[in-house]
């Protein structure tokens, strides 16, 4: 598949991720920013890694091998809950099973956390994001970001996706789903990794 080099392909099927990433790149002049929904014939690779880094690289290389001319950006992310020994972590999207919905995953998280008896600060957690950049079938850079917070006792808010309605970032009283998109975009795990990617993009040799 041949694409102009000024195209950024976000190697994801998660439209929420694409939306957040595209909004953070508004200052850059990509001819287009697209994701894998535009390439329905590409079979998603199995995420067999045990770290965010490994899974981000698997996704980046699979897309880059199919579109060697494009700049590819893959995001692997998830939530680590201390009272659950860091779970669901890399299994965040599949916590309640292979075909689990975000709602299934949130319900399982609340049930498991309830069973530990953890309250207040003992419900500490963090979102993590690892980005891998690839071109020509090779991983050429990677960046990470995290945001600390706690898991609330119940779902609150309508915005965002995934575990946003359960996650209260440190220094706030509301969940990511209650806070505005701008507030989340100013402090999220993805935003922190994207700041590093944007610094990389600003280097002339990386354009
Ligand atoms: P792709 O693999 O196609 O990119 P995915 O949603 O399956 O899409 P991951 O494997 O990286 O992506 O799983 C990340 C999961 O972690 C995601 O489904 C959410 O449940 C959660 N997650 C990641 N970032 C999040 C965020 O900003 N807000 C809420 N939940 C998030």
């Amino acid at each position: 598949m041949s694409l102009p080099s000024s195209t950024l392909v976000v190697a994801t099927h998660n439209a929420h991720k694409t939306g957040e990433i595209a909004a953070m790149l508004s200052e850059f002049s990509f001819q287009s920013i697209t994701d894998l929904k535009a390439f329905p014939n590409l079979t998603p690779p199995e995420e067999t890694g045990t770290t965010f880094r490994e899974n981000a690289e698997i996704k980046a290389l699979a897309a880059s091998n199919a579109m060697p001319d494009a700049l590819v950006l893959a995001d692997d992310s998830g939530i680590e809950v201390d009272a659950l020994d860091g779970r669901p972590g890399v299994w965040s999207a599949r916590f309640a099973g292979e075909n689990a919905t975000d709602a299934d995953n949130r319900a399982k998280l609340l049930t498991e956390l309830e069973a530990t008896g953890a309250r207040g600060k003992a419900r500490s957690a963090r979102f993590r994001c690892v980005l891998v950049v690839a071109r020509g079938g090779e991983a050429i850079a990677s960046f990470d970001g995290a945001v600390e917070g706690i898991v609330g006792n119940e779902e609150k808010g309508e915005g965002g996706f995934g575990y946003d309605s359960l996650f209260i970032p440190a220094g706030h009283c509301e969940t990511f789903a209650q806070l505005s998109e701008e507030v989340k975009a100013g402090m999220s795990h993805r935003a922190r990794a994207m700041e590093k990617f944007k610094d990389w993009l600003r280097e002339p040799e990386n354009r």
Side-chain angles (χ1 to χ4, degrees):
M1 225 171 291
S2 177
L3 288 171
S5 57
S6 53
T7 297
L8 179 72
V9 177
V10 186
T12 184
H13 287 93
N14 184 329
H16 295 280
K17 282 187 184 177
T18 312
E20 289 189 4
I21 288 170
M24 290 170 197
L25 291 173
S26 55
E27 75 192 75
F28 294 90
S29 52
F30 286 106
Q31 195 174 310
S32 75
I33 298 178
T34 185
D35 68 15
L36 298 181
K37 292 256 164 69
F39 307 98
N41 295 333
L42 274 190
T43 311
E46 263 194 76
E47 295 181 33
T48 51
T50 55
T51 63
F52 295 114
R53 175 73 176 74
E54 285 170 2
N55 282 338
E57 186 165 319
I58 288 170
K59 291 187 269 193
L61 293 184
S64 185
N65 282 324
M67 295 168 262
D69 296 334
L71 189 65
V72 168
L73 179 69
D75 165 317
D76 201 66
S77 44
I79 188 167
E80 293 175 348
V81 179
D82 293 326
L84 300 179
D85 299 324
R87 288 184 308 126
V90 292
W91 291 277
S92 291
R94 303 163 270 172
F95 191 36
E98 274 307 321
N99 298 314
T101 65
D102 284 353
D104 296 334
N105 290 330
R106 290 192 298 268
K108 182 171 164 72
L109 184 61
L110 280 181
T111 304
E112 291 219 1
L113 205 41
E114 188 63 34
T116 68
R119 291 273 168 277
K121 285 184 183 158
R123 295 170 73 95
S124 57
R126 70 207 52 76
F127 273 123
R128 283 195 194 280
C129 172
V130 175
L131 301 171
V132 168
V133 185
R135 201 197 290 275
E138 280 184 36
I140 52 178
S142 96
F143 312 102
D144 60 6
V147 56
E148 299 286 331
I150 59 165
V151 176
N153 296 328
E154 57 186 1
E155 294 192 27
K156 284 190 182 163
E158 303 297 325
F161 70 102
Y163 297 88
D164 277 342
S165 57
L166 289 177
F167 185 80
I168 303 169
H172 292 262
C173 303
E174 296 176 298
T175 67
F176 264 163
Q178 291 175 298
L179 293 164
S180 69
E181 285 173 23
E182 290 71 26
V183 171
K184 182 181 176 190
M187 64 183 305
S188 77
H189 50 315
R190 183 162 299 107
R192 287 174 177 162
M194 284 293 292
E195 281 308 316
K196 298 176 188 173
F197 174 53
K198 285 156 70 171
D199 284 344
W200 182 89
L201 279 177
R202 287 184 192 107
E203 296 294 330
E205 68 266 26
N206 294 329
R207 271 189 234 127

